[in-house]
Amino acid sequence: GSLTESCRQFLAACVEGKQNILVAGGTGSGKTSMLNALSAYIPDNERIVVIEDSSEVQLQQSHRVQLETRPPDRKGRGAITIRDLLKATLRMRPDRIVVGEVRGGEAIDLIQAMITGHSGSMTTIHATHPYEAMHRLLTLARMSDVQVPTDALTAQTAAAINVIVQTSRLPDGSRCVTHVAECVPSDQEHDYTVTVLYQIDMRGRDVKGRLRRELLPTGARASFAKQLVNQGLQLPPEMLPSL
């Protein structure tokens, strides 16, 4: 009940069509659960590398490699960070990269991987709205020791992220998807637009006090919809490209 069947169909097509996906949400909102659910649509013949601080992402595919970070010893030696693992991953020839969560400067390494041939990658981030998710990803990328001009970094981030799935924990304790959005690079190289494709509609509470809600299309169509259709993927009617 966290999303509608038509939105599920759209997100499944996005995963199969190798769009880069950012799952955003607050603590306990179901980000990792959503990432696990989305990963089920990755074809089994693709090589997937999963990078995490602690093992939470549970992939069902057989052709996967799961890597975990390692803290330093008592003398501060031997640490292996997500950045170290990302750099090592690029030598493993992965079809997709899944990072459990971006929290720091490793964001820039993931962005670089996404725009240099590793499409279909996925990660999660702490944010409460798709707009904020993009701002936070940019902020984390700037925390890297790699010096990239702001305009260039903004353009690369906009080119890297295709779909943002926003999860939330509602006041009644239920978890659901509240927004599905697309990040569209602007005509100006240093800017981008976040277009909301699906948005939750709240309709009060039922007799048991649970929130009544429905995830509805906004009328906007994804700019890559035609690309997905050309790949033979099924889209819900509201996302079919106009003739």
Side-chain angles (χ1 to χ4, degrees):
S2 63
L3 43 72
T4 59
E5 170 58 25
S6 62
C7 184
R8 182 209 62 79
Q9 186 180 11
F10 171 69
L11 291 176
C14 290
V15 175
E16 293 180 58
K18 302 198 77 170
Q19 302 299 307
N20 294 321
I21 298 176
L22 180 65
V23 181
T27 303
S29 64
K31 297 187 301 296
T32 304
S33 297
M34 179 56 62
L35 188 68
N36 282 328
L38 292 174
S39 71
Y41 297 104
I42 300 176
D44 195 55
N45 62 347
E46 294 188 11
R47 178 176 174 82
I48 312 162
V49 178
V50 183
I51 301 171
E52 301 176 89
D53 281 326
S54 58
S55 183
E56 292 181 320
V57 177
Q58 305 296 325
L59 298 188
Q60 305 304 312
Q61 292 81 352
S62 56
H63 199 21
R64 67 182 187 274
V65 178
Q66 296 194 246
L67 306 175
E68 289 186 44
T69 61
R70 184 175 68 190
D73 61 17
R74 294 179 180 178
K75 296 183 179 180
R77 301 173 302 185
I80 298 177
T81 66
I82 287 183
R83 293 200 69 180
D84 296 328
L85 294 177
L86 266 169
K87 292 172 183 176
T89 294
L90 299 180
R91 295 190 289 270
M92 298 180 183
R93 297 183 296 106
D95 292 306
R96 298 183 192 241
I97 300 172
V98 177
V99 177
E101 183 180 341
V102 285
R103 298 175 181 169
E106 70 273 3
I108 194 168
D109 299 295
L110 181 60
I111 290 167
Q112 294 290 331
M114 285 177 167
I115 64 176
T116 55
H118 298 89
S119 55
S121 296
M122 294 187 281
T123 189
T124 72
I125 194 168
H126 271 84
T128 57
H129 192 277
Y131 297 101
E132 182 187 332
M134 291 300 298
H135 291 321
R136 179 161 168 75
L137 187 62
L138 271 168
T139 300
L140 294 178
R142 293 191 187 104
M143 292 168 62
S144 165
D145 54 3
V146 179
Q147 298 301 313
V148 179
T150 300
D151 288 359
L153 183 59
T154 303
Q156 290 177 5
T157 304
I161 301 300
N162 303 119
V163 179
I164 305 161
V165 180
Q166 182 69 50
T167 61
S168 296
R169 182 167 183 167
L170 301 180
D172 64 356
S174 61
R175 298 174 177 87
C176 68
V177 173
T178 58
H179 301 81
V180 175
E182 177 190 13
C183 181
V184 184
S186 174
D187 293 336
Q188 298 178 347
E189 292 185 359
H190 60 279
D191 201 5
Y192 59 87
T193 301
V194 174
T195 303
V196 177
L197 306 175
Y198 292 88
Q199 184 168 321
I200 196 168
D201 179 33
M202 308 299 290
R203 300 173 178 174
R205 294 177 181 263
D206 61 18
V207 293
K208 294 184 179 180
R210 294 173 299 194
L211 288 167
R212 290 188 287 191
R213 63 184 191 271
E214 187 176 1
L215 192 64
L216 299 175
T218 62
R221 287 181 169 87
S223 63
F224 52 81
K226 188 173 182 180
Q227 176 187 339
L228 297 181
V229 171
N230 289 342
Q231 293 179 47
L233 298 171
Q234 297 294 318
L235 291 178
E238 66 268 17
M239 281 299 152
L240 289 173
S242 55
L243 298 177

